[in-house]
């Protein structure tokens, strides 16, 4: 049958169910247990004298004479496996009566939602089941669920119709349930350590706080252009100026950049800031956070990623940016290399160089392409070039480096943090330098945010701050290779 013929058949069944039940999409549902509760406590619940009411979506129907076996799920998860529980409904003509039995047999399809009343028992094969005394339709599906979902030739179809992806693929469903748990445990850790969750503007007059190209929009009533934020950093630091000591925000950021395995234009970011702290403190704090997160989510401090076992129980390594370039890019003395030397090295690695690219940007591109993938165990890369860090405090003993770190695990940057620049005069100079890069054609260089500098002039306490890309963190913790597999509705080109 064609899809249209199937839909027409289901519309006829819908009318038949309306005639029988009156309401096919009722508001009030009766349910006293989830399937996960039933499976976990089956022995005890099967002895209950009162009726068990269960609901769920039908996934399989098998008829054998006067008996119908119906597999259904309700979305509740097995605590051990993390997968959706499935139960079997046992419908017998002798128990239901011929009319109700035939109605189910003739009108219920896979994809329908049904409410079952009955008692629990095990079949002769030992399958946990509910012996149905009565049933009721609670939502009719008019389109059939896909028979084959794994290995689709058009992989993007899974992302476009994520609702079918999560219905048909328990692994995908479980991954997003795990994502929720990771976010919840991260929030709990910050809350327990005295951080206050806040909200800052998504629409901003200047997109600051990171080096990235923003999306631009227009507010008609005010008659002004606004930008979707690339980071909440400058507003969170305004709160430090305003007297808040520990703050964090977990929300969406937007960057007008390419899409690849680790980049989606719309992504979830966590940023947190602590007054009177520095980058050294923050590295220890982040070690504690990751150990606790692994323990809470997986019950252990070792995590499998690709072909490696990542060990969070050990002290994280600390290596300087220049030492990484020496080790993996074979640049003997990066600190002495001039711009031309670096350009030549970048070309050898097949890295494109823009006319406006600074020494720091070229070095960073070499690091990203050549070095980062070689760092597997948790490693803090420290002493980052000044040109890449217009908001970080300089090292006291190294004029061209800042007190900043990146946490690299499994070849992925998971955390970026630093001791915050709180000198308004130095901040002004940094913004002015970034304007030179912008004039030379660097669209990702930071804007000059005069209002932020003005706020700093009222006095900003010494502080440390960090950002964690939640999508990449989930990719790592779920051993997933593509960011679109951990974003429920990733950005896609419209389908014609």
């Amino acid at each position: 049958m064609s899809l249209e013929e199937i839909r027409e058949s289901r519309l006829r069944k819908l009318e038949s169910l309306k005639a029988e039940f009156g309401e096919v999409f009722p508001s009030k549902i009766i349910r006293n247990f989830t399937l996960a509760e039933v499976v976990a406590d089956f022995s005890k619940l099967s002895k209950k004298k009162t009726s068990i009411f269960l609901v769920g979506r039908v996934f399989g129907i098998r008829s054998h004479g006067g008996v119908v076996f119906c597999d259904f799920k309700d979305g509740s998860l097995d605590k051990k496996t993390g997968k959706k529980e499935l139960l079997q409904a046992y419908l017998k003509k002798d128990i239901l009566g011929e009319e109700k039995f035939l109605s189910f047999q003739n009108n219920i399809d896979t994809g329908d939602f049904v409410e079952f009343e009955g008692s629990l028992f095990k079949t002769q094969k030992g399958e946990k089941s509910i012996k149905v005394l009565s049933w009721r339709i609670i939502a009719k599906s008019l389109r059939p669920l896909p028979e084959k979902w794994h290995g689709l030739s058009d992989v993007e179809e899974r992302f476009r119709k994520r609702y079918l992806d999560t219905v048909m693929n328990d692994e995908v469903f479980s991954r997003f349930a795990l994502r929720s748990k990771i976010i919840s445990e991260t929030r709990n850790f910050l809350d327990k350590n005295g951080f206050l969750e806040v909200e800052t503007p998504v629409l901003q007059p200047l997109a600051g706080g990171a080096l990235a190209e923003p999306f631009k929009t227009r507010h008609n009533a005010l008659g002004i252009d606004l930008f979707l934020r690339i980071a909440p950093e400058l507003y969170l630091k305004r709160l430090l100026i305003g007297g808040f000591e520990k703050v964090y925000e977990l929300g969406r950021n937007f960057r007008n950049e390419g899409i690849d395995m680790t980049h989606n234009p719309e992504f979830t970011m966590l940023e947190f800031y602590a007054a009177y702290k520095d980058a050294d403190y923050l590295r220890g704090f982040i070690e504690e956070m990751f150990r606790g997160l692994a323990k809470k989510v997986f019950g252990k401090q070792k995590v499998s990623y690709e072909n490696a076992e990542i060990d969070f129980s050990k002290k994280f390594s600390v290596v300087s940016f220049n030492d990484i370039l020496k080790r993996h890019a074979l640049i003997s003395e990066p600190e002495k290399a001039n711009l031309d030397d670096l350009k030549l090295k970048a070309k050898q690695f097949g890295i494109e160089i823009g006319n406006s690219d600074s020494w720091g940007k070229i070095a960073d591109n070499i690091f990203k392409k050549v070095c980062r993938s070689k760092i597997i165990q948790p490693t803090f890369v420290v002493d980052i070039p000044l040109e890449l860090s217009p908001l970080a405090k300089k090292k006291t003993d190294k004029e061209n480096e800042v007190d900043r770190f990146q946490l690299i695990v499994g070849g992925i940057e998971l955390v970026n943090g630093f001791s915050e620049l709180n000198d308004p005069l130095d901040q002004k100079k940094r913004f002015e330098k970034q304007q030179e890069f912008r004039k030379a054609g660097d669209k990702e260089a930071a804007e000059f945010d005069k209002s932020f500098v003005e706020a700093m002039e009222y006095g900003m306490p010494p502080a440390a701050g960090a950002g964690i890309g939640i999508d990449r963190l989930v990719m790592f913790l779920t051993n997933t290779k593509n960011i679109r597999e951990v974003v429920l509705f990733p950005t896609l080109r419209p389908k014609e």
Side-chain angles (χ1 to χ4, degrees):
M1 293 175 71
S2 68
L3 177 60
E4 191 54 41
E5 287 172 331
I6 293 172
R7 190 170 181 277
E8 287 296 326
S9 171
R10 293 195 175 203
L11 284 170
R12 289 192 293 272
K13 293 176 182 180
L14 176 68
E15 292 304 314
S16 176
L17 289 166
K18 279 182 181 178
E20 180 180 354
F21 289 97
E23 282 188 297
V24 179
F25 300 94
S27 299
K28 291 189 180 296
I29 308 302
I30 303 174
R31 173 167 74 162
N32 50 15
F33 296 98
T34 66
L35 296 193
E37 290 169 338
V38 162
V39 173
D41 208 8
F42 191 86
S43 179
K44 181 180 177 181
L45 293 176
S46 61
K47 297 173 184 175
K48 281 182 70 71
K49 295 181 180 179
T50 56
S51 288
I52 300 286
F53 285 87
L54 303 176
V55 298
R57 186 195 284 269
V58 174
F59 279 87
I61 301 174
R62 303 174 301 283
S63 295
H64 299 281
V67 175
V68 169
F69 295 97
C70 169
D71 298 327
F72 66 107
K73 299 179 184 181
D74 65 358
S76 59
L77 302 177
D78 182 296
K79 289 184 179 180
K80 292 182 180 178
T81 66
K83 294 184 178 181
K84 284 184 283 189
E85 286 290 7
L86 179 143
L87 199 72
Q88 178 176 265
Y90 173 84
L91 299 96
K92 193 174 183 183
K93 185 190 294 185
D94 293 348
I95 296 173
L96 288 172
E98 184 172 4
E99 187 177 342
K100 291 289 288 185
F101 179 82
L102 291 177
S103 175
F104 188 95
Q105 196 172 47
N106 295 332
N107 295 318
I108 298 301
D109 299 292
T110 56
D112 290 354
F113 289 86
V114 182
E115 174 189 289
F116 295 109
E117 177 191 3
S119 58
L120 301 178
F121 80 110
K122 285 186 179 180
T123 65
Q124 290 181 343
K125 293 183 178 180
E127 292 183 82
K128 295 176 180 178
S129 308
I130 179 171
K131 185 182 295 182
V132 179
L133 301 176
S134 68
W135 64 272
R136 180 172 65 127
I137 182 75
I138 56 175
K140 179 69 180 170
S141 65
L142 300 182
R143 291 173 180 266
L145 295 175
E147 291 181 10
K148 295 180 181 179
W149 199 244
H150 295 279
L152 287 178
S153 57
D154 182 5
V155 177
E156 285 197 354
E157 194 68 9
R158 288 180 44 240
F159 306 140
R160 292 182 195 283
K161 296 181 179 178
R162 181 69 86 185
Y163 51 92
L164 291 180
D165 195 19
T166 52
V167 163
M168 301 303 296
N169 191 331
D170 280 1
E171 182 182 345
V172 173
F173 186 95
S174 297
R175 186 185 306 135
F176 284 106
L178 188 61
R179 176 189 171 109
S180 180
K181 185 175 182 180
I182 291 166
I183 290 172
S184 177
E185 293 297 343
T186 302
R187 274 196 167 104
N188 287 341
F189 181 82
L190 289 166
D191 292 342
K192 288 176 182 177
N193 280 276
F195 284 81
L196 186 70
E197 185 170 11
V198 297
E199 296 88 31
T200 63
V202 173
L203 290 175
Q204 301 180 354
L206 287 175
L211 303 181
E213 185 178 354
F215 289 96
K216 185 178 180 180
T217 188
R218 181 78 177 169
H219 191 284
N220 294 331
L222 293 177
I224 59 171
D225 289 333
L226 292 169
F227 300 91
L228 294 178
R229 71 176 176 202
I230 56 175
E233 178 169 343
L234 299 187
Y235 284 90
L236 290 171
K237 290 201 283 197
R238 283 175 170 89
L239 295 178
L240 297 180
I241 296 166
F244 292 90
E245 194 167 317
K246 290 182 176 181
V247 293
Y248 76 93
E249 182 169 13
L250 201 158
R252 306 293 266 182
N253 287 352
F254 308 84
R255 297 182 185 178
N256 201 349
E257 58 191 9
I259 297 174
D260 59 28
M261 300 287 279
T262 59
H263 290 85
N264 191 64
E266 178 182 1
F267 59 99
T268 303
M269 193 76 182
L270 166 67
E271 290 201 20
F272 54 98
Y273 295 82
Y276 315 115
K277 304 295 184 182
D278 63 5
D280 285 343
Y281 158 82
L282 212 54
R283 289 201 297 270
F285 182 81
I286 287 166
E287 281 196 38
E288 185 185 349
M289 174 189 282
F290 273 75
R291 288 193 188 103
L293 194 58
K295 187 73 173 175
K296 288 281 189 180
V297 175
F298 300 107
K300 57 185 180 179
Q301 293 184 352
K302 292 182 180 180
V303 177
S304 297
Y305 182 72
E306 294 192 343
N307 298 318
E309 183 179 66
I310 310 299
D311 190 352
F312 286 114
S313 66
K314 297 178 181 178
K315 184 74 176 173
F316 293 6
S317 300
V318 180
V319 187
S320 75
F321 183 84
N322 283 339
D323 282 346
I324 290 289
L325 291 180
K326 288 178 188 177
R327 185 183 305 174
H328 298 300
L330 303 180
I331 302 174
S332 58
E333 295 182 290
E335 62 277 4
K336 294 182 179 179
N338 60 34
L339 185 61
D340 290 334
D341 294 334
L342 218 55
K343 284 183 176 179
L344 179 61
K345 197 70 176 177
K347 287 179 180 178
Q348 291 173 355
F349 288 122
I351 297 170
E352 292 186 14
I353 301 167
N355 295 329
S356 62
D357 286 358
S358 65
W359 188 99
K361 186 164 187 176
I362 296 171
D364 190 45
N365 285 335
I366 293 173
F367 169 76
K368 288 175 180 176
K369 182 168 184 179
V370 181
C371 308
R372 192 166 61 191
S373 62
K374 296 179 173 66
I375 304 171
I376 305 303
Q377 293 302 322
T379 301
F380 289 115
V381 177
V382 300
D383 303 342
I384 309 295
L386 172 65
E387 293 167 333
L388 298 173
S389 316
L391 299 164
K393 190 170 285 187
K394 290 179 186 175
K395 298 278 289 185
T396 54
D397 56 340
K398 296 178 181 178
E399 185 68 19
N400 295 318
E401 295 175 4
V402 293
D403 191 17
R404 174 185 167 190
F405 63 84
Q406 296 176 4
L407 176 61
I408 312 296
V409 189
I412 301 175
E413 178 193 331
L414 295 182
V415 186
N416 178 45
F418 42 82
S419 297
E420 301 295 337
L421 177 59
N422 64 329
D423 178 348
L425 301 180
D426 191 2
Q427 184 65 81
K428 182 180 179 183
K429 290 178 183 177
R430 304 274 194 97
F431 278 147
E432 288 171 346
K433 186 65 177 177
Q434 290 290 309
Q435 298 323 290
E436 293 178 17
F437 294 146
R438 289 186 71 84
K439 287 177 182 178
D442 187 351
K443 294 181 180 179
E444 294 185 350
E447 289 276 15
F448 194 127
D449 193 329
K450 292 180 181 179
S451 67
F452 177 64
V453 173
E454 178 186 333
M456 289 183 73
E457 290 188 350
Y458 285 97
M460 175 178 157
I468 300 178
I470 295 297
D471 306 316
R472 290 183 187 176
L473 177 63
V474 175
M475 282 177 63
F476 168 73
L477 291 175
T478 59
N479 199 5
T480 304
K481 311 301 183 293
N482 192 320
I483 194 170
R484 294 192 293 182
E485 294 286 4
V486 299
V487 176
L488 275 170
F489 300 101
T491 306
L492 300 168
R493 191 186 302 278
K495 190 174 181 180
E496 294 181 2

